[in-house]
Amino acid sequence: MKQIAASKQITVHVYFILIALFALVLRVVIATTYQNDFDLRPYNIPWAIAAAENPLNIYQNIQNLDYPPVFPMLLSLVGTFVKQAQMQQIWQLEMFWIKLIPVLSDILLMCIIYVLTVKHYQMEALFFAAFWAVNPSIIFNCAFWGQADVLLLLFIFLTFWCFWKQKPTVACVFFALGCLTKLQMAYFAPIVLCELFFHYHFKHWIKALGIGLMVGIAGWLPFMIASGSIFLPFDIYFGGFESYQFINLNAYNLYGIGENNWVPDSQKLFGITYAQISMIIMILLLVVFICVKYFYRQIPGAVHALFFINSIFMLTCRMHERYQLPALILALLCYLIQKDNRYLYLFLGICMITFFNQALLLFIMNFGGVFRNFFDNSQKYFSIVNLLFYGFHIWIYITEMKRSKRFRLKRTLFKKSSAIS
């Protein structure tokens, strides 16, 4: 029996290797043959070349660099090849090199999901590896667009997987690496802090927090020294956030229903600016989250993180078209942790929404024409669909609280019966 089980496991591993190779080839072919100048030409390509030439001085040499250091440093590995492809005027080669880091990050994420879950959920791990290989939203992000969001998703997955496995120090390290990758990771700071405060002894959470903070400082320190400014991280984080003071930036959310796309958030509604409304909503979400986390501590951190980040995307301003992608990986993680099919349906819904949100915008920027005429109406309709999915998500979150309450009641009754006996 043991030999049969071992043989079956080897077969599953072989299937996964074939799936991973297929996913890699598919992404490389698309990345090489699809020419995307949007974002890559004004941002990623100059960043890669400048970072390869003088990595520590990138924040002095690149005026529009508003990313933390991890992604620019990874781009520096391919910067020389990108420059050579430019000089040779071979755009296919240029696209291959500038999209290589996002593509490899996606394959790495798929491998990590499989390796971490195959022991517990063998067939599910293989299924999700196969689905991830053809996931249209992620393929569009890394292979068509060439964006770094998948690298952020990798650190989000590892952070909340480690919290589920009760490894707070490792979780904080991955959280710090995520913050060094993209500003959006900072949205998860309240969830990380509550996971530490509510579940671990003082000496444990202070150790985890301290190590995470040291990783963050170590990542920024060379660039702070080179720039001569200890405030460099704040300049990048807050500068990037303040660069887009608009109600909506092509996102399918609450503000996508009206005429709010690229409208300044200083516009007023009932005498209050949209920026102030957004801040009030953010504070309310934070208060709700802390209260729920305090009273329902049995709910895994990934479940809270999913609801929190999806609520921020759906209800607050300054959201870009790609800012819902973290909810995609968290919905998958919640399904793996909770074994609740509703998270699978939510995952598929977010996958569809984020695919259309990215694809239609990218085609507008690259081709214009009919796509530009179609986007305004599509944003309204898809925003309504996304709000329906969000309503479904609220229902899931409420039932999670009810389930946690029943679990706590059963545990209390069990303790009382054990004491009596």
Side-chain angles (χ1 to χ4, degrees):
M1 292 296 293
K2 288 183 179 181
Q3 290 180 342
I4 294 174
S7 177
K8 184 179 179 181
Q9 192 170 31
I10 291 172
T11 303
V12 170
H13 292 335
V14 171
Y15 285 153
F16 170 72
I17 292 172
L18 293 175
I19 290 170
L21 289 174
F22 168 78
L24 178 61
V25 171
L26 176 65
R27 283 154 175 75
V28 168
V29 169
I30 294 172
T32 304
T33 56
Y34 183 83
Q35 185 176 10
N36 174 37
D37 290 333
F38 178 59
D39 277 350
L40 298 187
R41 193 67 60 191
Y43 300 108
N44 296 31
I45 290 174
W47 294 355
I49 295 172
E53 293 173 348
N54 195 344
L56 293 183
N57 290 314
I58 53 174
Y59 291 104
Q60 288 71 56
N61 298 337
I62 309 174
Q63 296 300 317
N64 63 358
L65 179 57
D66 56 1
Y67 266 58
V70 166
F71 186 51
M73 286 300 95
L74 289 174
L75 287 179
S76 71
L77 301 177
V78 298
T80 302
F81 304 108
V82 172
K83 187 175 182 179
Q84 290 176 352
Q86 271 193 342
M87 294 174 64
Q88 296 168 354
Q89 297 184 345
I90 306 175
W91 67 262
Q92 293 89 347
L93 199 56
E94 185 182 20
M95 289 294 106
F96 168 79
W97 286 114
I98 199 61
K99 296 177 183 178
L100 183 61
I101 299 301
V103 165
L104 292 181
S105 299
D106 186 29
I107 300 301
L108 177 60
L109 174 58
M110 186 176 68
C111 292
I112 287 175
I113 292 173
Y114 176 78
V115 170
L116 292 179
T117 58
V118 69
K119 185 183 293 186
H120 305 281
Y121 322 105
Q122 191 174 81
M123 295 312 298
E124 286 93 337
L126 194 61
F127 166 76
F128 278 112
F131 184 81
W132 202 267
V134 294
N135 184 335
S137 181
I138 297 302
I139 290 174
F140 235 90
N141 186 264
C142 68
F144 282 87
W145 205 316
Q147 282 290 0
D149 297 279
V150 179
L151 192 60
L152 175 67
L153 303 193
L154 188 153
F155 290 124
I156 291 172
F157 182 87
L158 288 173
T159 296
F160 291 100
W161 176 272
C162 289
F163 273 126
W164 183 54
K165 289 296 184 178
Q166 298 182 349
K167 298 178 180 178
T169 302
V170 183
C172 286
V173 169
F174 285 125
F175 174 70
L177 291 173
C179 290
L180 288 169
T181 302
K182 206 171 180 188
L183 167 64
Q184 202 177 356
M185 190 72 175
Y187 282 126
F188 295 102
I191 292 92
V192 170
L193 291 174
C194 287
E195 282 294 308
L196 294 173
F197 296 163
F198 293 155
H199 293 283
Y200 298 97
H201 189 272
F202 174 79
K203 65 178 182 181
H204 292 142
W205 69 253
I206 201 70
K207 173 189 173 185
L209 202 60
I211 291 176
L213 186 61
M214 285 191 292
V215 171
I217 293 173
W220 275 109
L221 190 59
F223 306 96
M224 292 163 64
I225 294 173
S227 67
S229 173
I230 60 173
F231 299 107
L232 179 64
F234 300 99
D235 294 338
I236 298 302
Y237 287 135
F238 292 109
F241 184 72
E242 292 298 323
S243 298
Y244 301 97
Q245 298 182 23
F246 301 96
I247 299 173
N248 188 294
L249 298 100
N250 307 308
Y252 293 164
N253 62 8
L254 175 65
Y255 305 100
I257 298 174
E259 304 296 330
N260 298 309
N261 209 31
W262 290 98
V263 174
D265 60 8
S266 57
Q267 292 287 323
K268 292 185 177 181
L269 180 67
F270 304 119
I272 307 174
T273 67
Y274 278 90
Q276 292 169 335
I277 293 172
S278 183
M279 183 59 65
I280 292 170
I281 292 173
M282 181 78 77
I283 294 171
L284 289 175
L285 286 174
L286 189 59
V287 171
V288 169
F289 161 71
I290 293 174
C291 292
V292 172
K293 183 61 184 176
Y294 179 79
F295 289 107
Y296 301 95
R297 302 186 187 188
Q298 292 81 12
I299 299 177
V303 173
H304 293 297
L306 171 59
F307 185 74
F308 191 63
I309 197 66
N310 205 27
S311 297
I312 288 174
F313 176 82
M314 293 302 303
L315 304 178
T316 66
C317 297
R318 304 187 187 185
M319 292 293 114
H320 292 252
E321 68 286 336
R322 293 175 287 113
Y323 278 16
Q324 198 177 16
L325 285 171
L328 185 65
I329 192 65
L330 284 169
L332 172 58
L333 180 56
C334 288
Y335 171 75
L336 294 171
I337 291 174
Q338 298 294 82
K339 301 298 290 181
D340 187 335
N341 286 337
R342 294 176 303 174
Y343 287 111
L344 180 59
Y345 304 145
L346 187 62
F347 171 79
L348 294 174
I350 294 174
C351 181
M352 178 195 71
I353 292 293
T354 52
F355 164 69
F356 282 109
N357 205 168
Q358 294 176 91
L360 291 176
L361 178 62
L362 190 65
F363 288 157
I364 285 172
M365 295 304 175
N366 284 331
F367 306 118
V370 65
F371 295 105
R372 189 175 300 280
N373 298 330
F374 181 66
F375 185 79
D376 289 341
N377 287 331
S378 70
Q379 185 178 25
K380 295 176 184 177
Y381 298 140
F382 277 114
S383 293
I384 293 172
V385 173
N386 209 7
L387 281 170
L388 293 176
F389 276 117
Y390 180 60
F392 175 60
H393 190 187
I394 292 174
W395 173 66
I396 296 174
Y397 196 57
I398 291 172
T399 56
E400 285 283 9
M401 286 186 272
K402 292 180 178 179
R403 182 162 57 182
S404 176
K405 188 176 181 179
R406 288 195 299 267
F407 173 79
R408 186 169 55 185
L409 180 61
K410 288 180 180 179
R411 190 174 64 175
T412 303
L413 292 174
F414 175 78
K415 288 181 177 180
K416 287 182 178 179
S417 62
S418 298
I420 292 171
S421 60

